[in-house]
């Protein structure tokens, strides 16, 4: 399923019997997951590798929580909660209510079903399994055909400097509701992190395209690119690199992207996102009417707002067509 | 509340303004918790200290689970599940269902609300808090006036030797449904464990009585007595030591007590339980019609089966009266 009507990329490689060139999609949480879902609907499972940001990961009440991996996993499994924008649709909150009653921290909400994933992952991580192996096992158990891999099996933690000093990402994003102005960003642990070997292998094997999903560049995509060797591996992989703008008419569809641009002294615009990625980009997919002045890579215009599944599929097709046009 | 009509023990000490002599009750899970609940209804909160067996504790899916502390806590808080005999009454199972679907171990059932206690306790233990401080904080938050303390803040783990070798207690008790014959018992870690300081202090301060609840002697009470210094502290505390038989007419009210007596080569009887405790006992409370032949300590007869709250309160009063008679 999903193969009919998709662009014909990769057909030659399959005919030749060699490894299938894949689409490598770099993604954060909700916005990226929408396009990843669209890609998963138009590509055979073995032709899609989603690389998840783990800079948002954190330790909470003794559990290792990986919000972007989880959003991708739940979204691709059809279990996501579109109302909340995180967690599972079929959720209950008995654990959370009781935790609060017992004096536990309750600013980060963990549903009863969601919790099973966190408990199991934390237990397996403590037992020495790499995050990638656990992530891969869980997506298989949830019936997801496409691969989802963390950018690295080593911990990277995004930290933000506000006017009151450095704070952890989830503290800022959830506990403080992304309210404090952000003056600087760092990815703690990134310098010592190694790219996840499966991601590196896919890039070295010659992918069909690298897609940068419409995620927040500062906190979703740049942590991935900050893993030493990742940016270089993408730059030399020989495939077109196509980003999708997360900014439409100067606004982010969801989340603090536009706000962060302003606080960091930049105008929130599709062009500003393209500028962040710089020479890495070969193509840039952006909203029909937005200003493309000064954008260096080849611009492709389409509807980028993803409200329905059809929107996601249509954008996925447009991105793949853009990549094909750039080959 | 609960003070009216109780025996007048300790009144002199209270009048004198010194520390209030307490009832120190040694307890395992369900049977012991029933008597502990009865005691909590007839004693002022500051006059009851329940010492919980931690030999049943274990690590499961990365969580430290303390079944006897939990049963005591839920029972004294009025949250216990009388149908299951463990866990909470107002429970749901979304976590457990999801854990099983994700390939996690599901032989030990953890309810959504129960889980909050395990997650919080595990997190606090990892942060360096002693089990006793966490247990004390949680019982306060659940509105329990009486103190509940673990026998030790150091880990002790009951292990059983069956015909197939040594296994962990919960593996035998829950996963194997207490089916394999038990040939020997050990308390791993006991030799290096220290009595919980608050327990030792209460014994040294001169309690009104030490009550050995109607729990399984092998796996609920003997782990407590195996903590170096505990048996001696009880023996020299100057207060009467009164045990309640968990065996009625040769049968255990619940659990594998009678079965274990047989497998360990002893006849399951009230007398056999008294013999296990030996010279530690001053008094022994047992069922009306049961055979007291050969029981060394002073025997008190009453109805020991606790089905209703009135039964629990009546047995608690009988035990306190027995202790008073022995002073």
């Amino acid at each position: 399923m999903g193969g009919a009507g998709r662009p014909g990329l990769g057909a030659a490689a399959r005919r030749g019997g060699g490894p299938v060139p894949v689409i490598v999609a770099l993604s954060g949480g909700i916005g990226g997951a929408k396009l990843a879902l669209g890609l998963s609907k138009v590509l055979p499972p073995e032709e899609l590798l989603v690389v998840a940001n783990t800079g948002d990961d954190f330790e909470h009440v003794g559990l290792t929580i990986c919000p972007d991996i989880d959003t991708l996993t739940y979204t691709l499994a059809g279990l996501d909660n579109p109302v909340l924008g995180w967690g599972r649709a079929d959720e209950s909150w008995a654990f959370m209510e009781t935790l609060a009653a017992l004096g536990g921290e309750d600013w980060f909400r963990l549903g009863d079903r969601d919790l099973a994933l966190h408990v199991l992952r934390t237990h397996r991580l403590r037992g020495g399994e790499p995050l990638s192996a656990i992530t891969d096992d869980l997506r298989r158990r949830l019936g997801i055909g496409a691969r989802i891999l963390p950018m690295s099996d080593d911990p990277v933690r995004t930290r933000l400097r506000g006017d009151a000093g450095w704070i952890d990402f989830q503290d800022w994003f959830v506990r403080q509701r992304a309210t404090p102005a952000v003056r600087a960003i760092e990815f703690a642990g990134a310098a010592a992190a190694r790219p996840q070997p499966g991601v590196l292998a896919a890039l070295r094997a010659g992918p069909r395209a690298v897609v940068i999903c419409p995620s927040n560049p500062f906190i979703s995509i740049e942590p991935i690119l900050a893993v030493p060797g990742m940016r270089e591996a993408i730059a030399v992989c020989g495939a077109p690199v196509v980003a999708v703008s997360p900014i439409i008419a100067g606004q982010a569809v969801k989340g603090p992207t536009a706000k962060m641009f302003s606080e960091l002294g930049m105008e929130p615009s599709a062009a500003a996102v393209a500028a962040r990625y710089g020479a890495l980009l070969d193509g840039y997919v952006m909203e029909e009417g937005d200003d493309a002045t000064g954008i260096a890579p080849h611009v492709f215009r389409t509807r980028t707002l993803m409200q329905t599944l059809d929107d996601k599929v249509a954008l996925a097709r447009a991105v793949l067509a853009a990549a094909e046009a750039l080959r």
Side-chain angles (χ1 to χ4, degrees), chain A:
Chain A
M1 55 172 280
R6 70 193 168 77
L9 308 180
R14 278 203 303 288
R15 267 200 302 276
V20 180
V22 301
I23 302 295
V24 177
L26 315 187
S27 179
I30 183 164
K34 285 180 182 178
L35 181 57
L37 178 63
L39 290 167
S40 78
K41 297 292 185 187
V42 299
L43 290 167
E46 67 275 14
E47 294 186 26
L48 177 59
L49 166 59
V50 183
V51 181
N53 168 44
T54 57
D56 293 8
D57 294 7
F58 74 127
E59 281 66 43
H60 185 63
V61 292
L63 304 171
T64 298
I65 317 247
C66 306
D68 288 354
I69 287 177
D70 295 350
T71 295
L72 284 163
T73 301
Y74 291 146
T75 301
L76 267 58
L79 297 170
D80 57 305
N81 188 320
V83 177
L84 291 176
W86 51 268
R88 294 176 61 130
D90 57 337
E91 197 52 283
S92 56
W93 305 95
F95 166 83
M96 206 71 231
E97 287 168 19
T98 312
L99 188 72
L102 294 177
E105 292 184 82
D106 62 351
W107 58 270
F108 192 93
R109 299 188 71 208
L110 297 165
D112 299 330
R113 292 186 185 278
D114 187 28
L115 192 64
L117 190 154
H118 306 310
V119 167
L120 190 58
R121 176 170 50 211
T122 301
H123 181 49
R124 292 173 66 169
L125 283 171
R126 285 221 175 82
E129 267 187 276
L131 178 59
S132 55
I134 301 164
T135 303
D136 195 60
D137 177 53
L138 292 175
R139 66 93 185 163
R140 284 172 196 270
R141 287 180 186 273
L142 291 173
I144 300 170
R147 280 188 296 164
I148 302 170
L149 288 175
M151 66 199 199
S152 176
D153 283 318
D154 304 312
V156 176
R157 298 293 181 263
T158 297
R159 290 169 54 77
L160 307 174
R161 184 165 60 75
D163 294 328
W166 288 97
I167 52 174
D168 292 339
F169 176 75
Q170 295 295 344
D171 190 339
W172 173 79
F173 188 60
V174 179
R175 180 145 55 179
Q176 305 193 42
R177 296 165 194 274
T179 303
V182 173
R183 306 304 177 190
I185 303 171
E186 69 168 16
F187 308 119
R194 296 154 296 181
Q196 201 286 324
V199 174
L200 214 49
L203 290 170
R204 286 179 177 160
R208 275 165 58 197
V210 175
V211 174
I212 299 181
C213 289
S215 298
N216 184 315
F218 305 110
I219 54 179
S220 295
I221 302 300
E222 290 180 8
I224 302 176
L225 301 177
V227 176
M230 188 74 86
R231 184 185 283 266
E232 295 68 22
I234 294 169
V236 304
C237 75
V241 180
V242 179
V244 179
S245 175
I247 300 280
I248 299 176
Q251 301 289 324
V253 175
K254 193 172 172 74
T257 310
K259 172 179 177 288
M260 293 178 80
F261 265 101
S262 301
E263 290 163 2
L264 292 166
M266 290 168 268
E267 185 196 2
S269 67
V273 174
R276 290 295 296 182
Y277 298 136
L280 199 62
L281 296 191
D282 300 300
Y284 194 59
V285 177
M286 55 182 285
E287 189 70 17
E288 295 285 0
D290 278 0
D291 185 6
T293 306
I295 296 181
H298 196 99
V299 167
F300 299 84
R301 291 175 171 284
T302 188
R303 170 179 159 90
T304 57
L305 186 65
M306 292 176 282
Q307 292 173 313
T308 66
L309 180 58
D310 283 349
D311 291 340
K312 293 162 196 160
V313 168
L315 183 57
R317 289 192 200 283
V319 169
L320 295 175
E324 180 74 343
L326 291 166
R327 286 176 74 90

